[in-house]
Amino acid sequence: MGQELLSIFQLERKRLLWLIGITVAIILAFQYLELPYGDVQPIVFSANNIPTSDSIRFEAADLPSESGMFNNMTILNQANSTGENALEIVNETRTSEEKDTVSRTGFISELGRESDRSLGFDETDESSTVESIGISNDGSVTEQAGNLGLSSYNNTISHTPSHSIIPTNLAPPLSPTKVNPNITPPVLSNDSVKEEEFRPSQDDVNILDNDSSIKSVPRETKDSQIPLPEGTTISEMNELLLQNRASYRSMRPRWSSSADQELLQVRSEIENAPFVNDVENLYAPLFRNISRFKRSYDLMESTLKVYVYREGAKPIMHSPYLLGIYASEGWFMRLMEVSKQFVTKDPKKAHLFYLPFSSRMLEETLYIPNSHSSRNLIQYLKNYVDMIAAKHHFWNRTGGADHFLVACHDWAPTETRRHMAKCIRALCNADVKDGFVLGKDVSLPETYVRNAQKPTRNIGGNRVSRRKTLAFFAGGMHGYVRPILLQHWENKDPDMKIFGILPRSKGNRNYIQYMKSSKYCICAKGYEVNSPRVVEAIFYECVPVIISDNFVPPFFEVLNWESFAVFVLEKDIPNLKNILLSIPQKRYLEMQMMVKKVQQHFLWHRSPVKYDIFHMILHSIWYNRVFTARAR
């Protein structure tokens, strides 16, 4: 009997062991099939399992259990939402192709453009009015993750090679695109700046998260194709601007100042501006609200005082560069530093503090060719901020919220996003998905200046009856939008003059004549969202057609861009001609007339004149400070 019981016991034990083994095998198999890349975790239903998008599966590792879940939708900049102290963490991968060099005469190359995202120049590539300039090729860029929030940098960004990112539609893709599998973001801890490496890649990935830390790296199969990203439309930007006007405020000052009280009084006067409609030298339909603009501009002229820091050595500081596609920052610096109307030598009276550095000269002076790193550029600006913060107490009073910078180089957003994030940043590269904060930052017009003695030379264009070409574009194949544009329209239709780089001509006559004789001028983004073509179109009285999702147009705070420009989503390029033909002739004539009216606001003068580009840039900075300032 005992022997029989022992035999039954051994049989049941074997069955139990088999059952346990099968159960474990099923659990492991289930995890293998459920989790991306076959990573086996000790818990089946982990809080870290993140939903995937399209055919690519991603895993966000070590995220807090309460972290939000992301899907493949348009994700807006946290600072461009309604949160007062919104935090934004951006991890990006950058590409590049070309880097220009500067001749001793001050001209810069028109054939390539260096980009924050691409290390390549996205300018009027076909332009050839410069003297002979050397062009050198650079590698690609992989940007550090940065915190664009409005509080101190106390977040830690770390990376584990086996982890991957939450998918978003914020990356400018190519179609088709191959992603380099060796991309690894650097580590940024607290306020330290780790090496910013530049590595080959063909896409950009932005991750916006509310968590205090983020771990990310793209992980895709070699043959993955990325569709066009969802863009922020101009109407959505209008809504974001209104939201930020209602909710966004800068840091509360650590101690009170009479300037703060003056700004609050100014805000009240602007909000209660008396109604005006007929203003000398201003055309009301161009503006969102002509009454508020006029009142704000008048108060700026009578009230605003700017303190210009004298610290800093040339050529990066106090060295205006007046030619080429980055000339806007140089012209503003030159005119600001000598302004007797706005500049004060008493910082206690200042409403704004100007950081007079040139992003163009920063790159030209400090960037080490083929180093694929901008670490020393970022560190230079950090050292400068630390120096003025130690020497003066004005920065520390507001954390830099009453300070501003004017920078046109494409790398400027990267160079300033960490240590100057709270400043008002006037940037040519105004990308609403890349850290540009509507209502705080200012979109700086990118003006191509070819003659410093006469910056308005060749202004104007043919009358409407002599504009026989429906639409014109010429330029290098920078970024992913232009190849799509040429794929659909190059040599496809006699009404659509769509080219690559035009043959060289003296004074760039071919390019200019096309603009002067076309009804619509296509302003397609290159590596970055901005392009000098927008201002060039206005300069030559051609209605600009902006094909650059997420681009915030210049002076967006006050100008009604839809009254004189056409905005076409990147995905609608195949339908471009039909879109333009659908605009009634009467509407076109109105827009072309409006372009001529708005032109005065985009012109540089050696001695500033009322409502010109210098005053408009300064006004946008002033306006944004007025509506974000707080009292103690």
Side-chain angles (χ1 to χ4, degrees), residues 239-259:
E239 293 175 3
L240 284 172
L241 180 63
L242 292 177
Q243 291 174 9
N244 282 9
R245 278 282 178 260
S247 64
Y248 180 90
R249 293 293 181 270
S250 64
M251 167 185 160
R252 188 181 299 277
R254 290 190 170 92
W255 59 87
S256 61
S257 165
S258 59

Side-chain angles (χ1 to χ4, degrees), residues 44 60 109 142 151 177 263 321 334 503 525 539 586 599 628:
V44 178
S109 164
T142 298
S151 61
T177 296
L263 290 177
Y321 189 79
R334 174 183 176 272
K525 68 173 289 184
F539 200 83
K586 180 181 179 182
Q599 187 184 74
T628 57

Side-chain angles (χ1 to χ4, degrees), residues 139-164:
S140 305
V141 84
T142 298
E143 291 199 13
Q144 269 182 337
N147 182 354
L148 295 181
L150 297 178
S151 61
S152 61
Y153 299 104
N154 55 3
N155 296 324
T156 302
I157 301 175
S158 60
H159 166 66
T160 305
S162 64
H163 299 308
S164 51

Side-chain angles (χ1 to χ4, degrees), residues 96-116:
S96 79
E97 292 196 9
E98 298 180 12
K99 176 179 184 294
D100 78 329
T101 56
V102 181
S103 72
R104 296 187 181 275
T105 61
F107 287 96
I108 66 175
S109 164
E110 303 176 1
L111 299 179
R113 162 189 199 130
E114 288 201 356
S115 163
D116 162 32

Side-chain angles (χ1 to χ4, degrees), residues 86-139:
L87 297 179
E88 176 187 11
I89 300 176
V90 182
N91 186 59
E92 304 164 347
T93 347
R94 303 303 195 192
T95 62
S96 79
E97 292 196 9
E98 298 180 12
K99 176 179 184 294
D100 78 329
T101 56
V102 181
S103 72
R104 296 187 181 275
T105 61
F107 287 96
I108 66 175
S109 164
E110 303 176 1
L111 299 179
R113 162 189 199 130
E114 288 201 356
S115 163
D116 162 32
R117 185 167 295 164
S118 63
L119 289 187
F121 287 135
D122 171 24
E123 82 230 27
T124 313
D125 319 280
E126 63 285 354
S127 305
S128 56
T129 184
V130 297
E131 305 298 329
S132 59
I133 305 297
I135 306 293
S136 62
N137 292 326
D138 284 327

